[in-house]
Amino acid sequence: MNLFPDQEAACQLVKRERFSIVTGGAGTGKSTVVNAIVADHARPGLRISLAAPSGKAAKRLSEVTGRQAGTIHKLLEPTKVKDGFAFARNAQRMLEADVIVIDETSMVDISL
């Protein structure tokens, strides 16, 4: 995959850091970077989870990476509780993934 220098730098940052944010305006190559990150981490035994805030954004993430993606809510496994819902995946029951990509986070509110 051919990457521009800034895209390559973003991919290298993801390799070094436990948490990374890729930003940029429309058409700057964020999807290409996400695809490169996922491709770089794709190896036997490594669990990758892909999610986005909406079904449409998750579908686009799947198209870009060639892997299954779902909504953030589905990833966190909502369960019904007395006052609405809670997530089954939390600090006590963490996600079973080695790499987690959340796309379109500008659309996510603070509680999520």
Side-chain angles (χ1 to χ4, degrees), residues 3-72:
L3 300 174
F4 288 107
D6 286 351
Q7 293 172 315
E8 182 62 38
C11 291
Q12 293 303 317
L13 178 71
V14 168
K15 287 180 184 180
R16 289 191 314 266
E17 303 296 332
R18 290 181 46 92
F19 181 85
S20 301
I21 298 174
V22 177
T23 64
T28 59
K30 295 179 303 292
S31 293
T32 300
V33 170
V34 168
N35 188 35
I37 290 166
V38 171
D40 187 51
H41 286 85
R43 51 188 163 277
L46 196 66
R47 301 165 299 178
I48 301 173
S49 290
L50 306 175
S54 68
K56 185 175 182 176
K59 182 178 180 184
R60 175 69 181 132
L61 184 56
S62 290
E63 291 168 353
V64 166
T65 62
R67 293 175 157 267
Q68 183 177 355
T71 64
I72 299 169

